[in-house]
Amino acid sequence: MISRRKFLAVGSLAGASVLSGNKPLGMNVDDSVFTGSPIVISTWDFGIAANAAAWQILKNKGRALDAVETGVHVPEADPNNQSVGYGGLPDRDGRVSLDACIMDEFGNCGSVAGLEHIIHPISVARKVMEKTPHVMLVGAGALQFALEQGFKKENLLTPASEKAWKEWLKTAKYNPEINVENRLFSPAKLPGNQYNHDTIGMLALDAAGNMSGACTTSGMAYKMHGRVGDSPIIGAGLYVDNEIGGATSTGVGEEVIRNVGSFLVVELMRQGYSPDEACKEAVMRIIRKKPETAKKIQVGFLALNKKGQFGGYAIQKGFSFAVCDQNDQKQLIKSPSYY
Ligand code: GLY
């Protein structure tokens, strides 16, 4: 497993080769040998607390699937986190609607989109995976299924998020901002006319060498009712292939969906790209297709391969990700970025 310092050095070297158009010096997947050390990584600074919860399972030789579900429960239940779960900023109609998906080491997956009133959409997604013949349930059907499975119906709109929404209604301007995620922990500083969006995407490798991933969000704030982002879309917001590795994304979901971002990152790793090189190439696809759009938006990818190597890359500065392994449970790494 690479250390943080080594990771940063490898990242800059790899960046040069991607920019030059040469095939980068990636890992050879045939050389992929798992060291037996679990690791969990997740997007943004709130990933530190989420990783800590996941680590309690991983360190006791638990399954990566249980670790990622437990880990993302932390931001989902946090009323001060206005971009995931309870306390998430609502859509333009004032409704908090949640998107989430989960994927295990066997390629099983489950997803919910536009789910209202349930604090832990990730657990509903897992039930979809395990209890139904389907992959995805949406809206009223997802809620009906969750209630049938014993989930409790709750009001997810906190007073702080309701206040922000009412402020926003005064102008109702659609103006997604870059990295407002970083201000979410100071809600008092968040004017009501700001949009924000972000996601916790988590990838874990357990002591048995198996990988799972989870991705959960309240989506873009003040979105159109019914809008679905990348986070519940298998292949866009999350993808795991237990032979190769996994990837997840954060940022403007529409651009991730258009490029099937997380699947692309995993397929690039299959071709020999290292995680950071693969994330960079996925970002570059977005930038090359829509350079003017890309100047104004944020998208970040995060990847973990079967060796326990990890990497991230974003369009804009400001993306960070949390890493937790046996050496350090609280690493927060600033992602390299195009701008
Ligand atoms: N990446 C989260 C969203 O666009 O909804």
Side-chain angles (χ1 to χ4, degrees):
M1 200 180 312
I2 53 177
S3 68
R4 176 180 171 182
R5 184 172 299 161
K6 193 166 170 197
F7 157 72
L8 290 171
V10 168
S12 53
L13 185 68
S17 60
V18 170
L19 278 176
S20 71
N22 296 327
K23 188 178 178 199
L25 297 168
M27 64 174 280
N28 179 346
V29 289
D30 296 333
D31 294 341
S32 178
V33 178
F34 180 59
T35 61
S37 300
I39 181 169
V40 55
I41 64 174
S42 55
T43 52
W44 303 106
D45 43 7
F46 51 61
I48 292 176
N51 286 353
W55 185 250
Q56 294 308 310
I57 291 170
L58 294 174
K59 78 173 185 187
N60 291 315
K61 299 196 179 342
R63 188 177 171 203
L65 183 70
D66 296 324
V68 296
E69 181 188 13
T70 302
V72 302
H73 276 177
V74 176
E76 282 186 340
D78 182 354
N80 295 317
N81 185 328
Q82 291 183 295
S83 65
V84 180
Y86 176 52
L89 289 167
D91 64 21
R92 59 182 56 185
D93 299 339
R95 297 161 75 156
V96 180
S97 67
L98 307 176
D99 295 341
C101 73
I102 195 161
M103 197 160 183
D104 75 8
E105 70 270 33
F106 303 112
N108 298 314
C109 45
S111 164
V112 289
L115 175 63
E116 297 182 54
H117 304 299
I118 305 291
I119 281 189
H120 291 303
I122 199 67
S123 294
V124 184
R126 182 168 175 175
K127 292 278 188 206
V128 172
M129 176 174 83
E130 293 180 339
K131 304 276 185 197
T132 80
H134 307 303
V135 166
M136 189 169 197
L137 292 177
V138 305
L143 176 60
Q144 181 185 335
F145 172 72
L147 297 175
E148 283 165 9
Q149 291 294 316
F151 290 86
K152 200 171 143 208
K153 188 170 180 179
E154 306 195 53
N155 173 25
L156 304 183
L157 186 64
T158 55
S161 288
E162 186 172 14
K163 188 170 169 219
W165 168 63
K166 285 187 172 158
E167 271 299 307
W168 173 81
L169 280 177
K170 289 177 186 168
T171 56
K173 266 168 63 183
Y174 180 69
N175 181 27
E177 285 199 1
I178 293 162
N179 289 338
V180 296
E181 296 88 350
N182 294 338
R183 296 202 287 277
L184 289 177
F185 292 94
S186 310
K189 291 187 197 156
L190 186 71
N193 65 353
Q194 285 184 351
Y195 286 76
N196 68 82
H197 52 83
D198 113 275
T199 303
I200 183 154
M202 177 179 279
L203 302 161
L205 194 55
D206 63 28
N210 289 320
M211 188 175 294
S212 291
C215 187
T216 174
T217 186
S218 51
M220 193 175 282
Y222 319 130
K223 60 195 174 187
M224 290 177 68
H225 181 63
R227 179 262 185 190
V228 175
D230 59 319
S231 301
I233 309 291
I234 296 294
L238 178 75
Y239 195 71
V240 173
D241 183 324
N242 203 42
E243 285 186 2
I244 305 297
T248 188
S249 62
T250 182
V252 176
E254 282 73 3
E255 297 312 319
V256 179
I257 294 170
R258 287 184 180 111
N259 291 277
V260 200
S262 291
F263 182 73
L264 173 61
V265 171
V266 173
E267 289 307 299
L268 289 166
M269 292 196 291
R270 192 190 307 279
Q271 292 170 27
Y273 284 65
S274 64
D276 52 336
E277 292 162 351
C279 291
K280 179 164 189 172
E281 177 56 19
V283 162
M284 294 309 297
R285 296 264 175 112
I286 294 172
I287 293 171
R288 282 196 293 265
K289 278 187 194 165
K290 295 193 176 194
E292 289 309 310
T293 302
K295 282 180 189 164
K296 294 174 282 191
I297 63 161
Q298 175 66 302
V299 170
F301 290 105
L302 182 59
L304 176 67
N305 70 19
K306 282 285 284 185
K307 271 179 148 174
Q309 295 172 319
F310 54 83
Y313 199 81
I315 299 178
Q316 311 287 344
K317 284 191 179 66
F319 175 45
S320 60
F321 56 93
V323 179
C324 172
D325 61 18
Q326 61 185 358
N327 301 315
D328 187 348
Q329 269 94 73
K330 290 191 176 168
Q331 296 175 71
L332 184 68
I333 294 180
K334 282 187 183 172
S335 169
S337 60
Y338 182 75
Y339 288 109

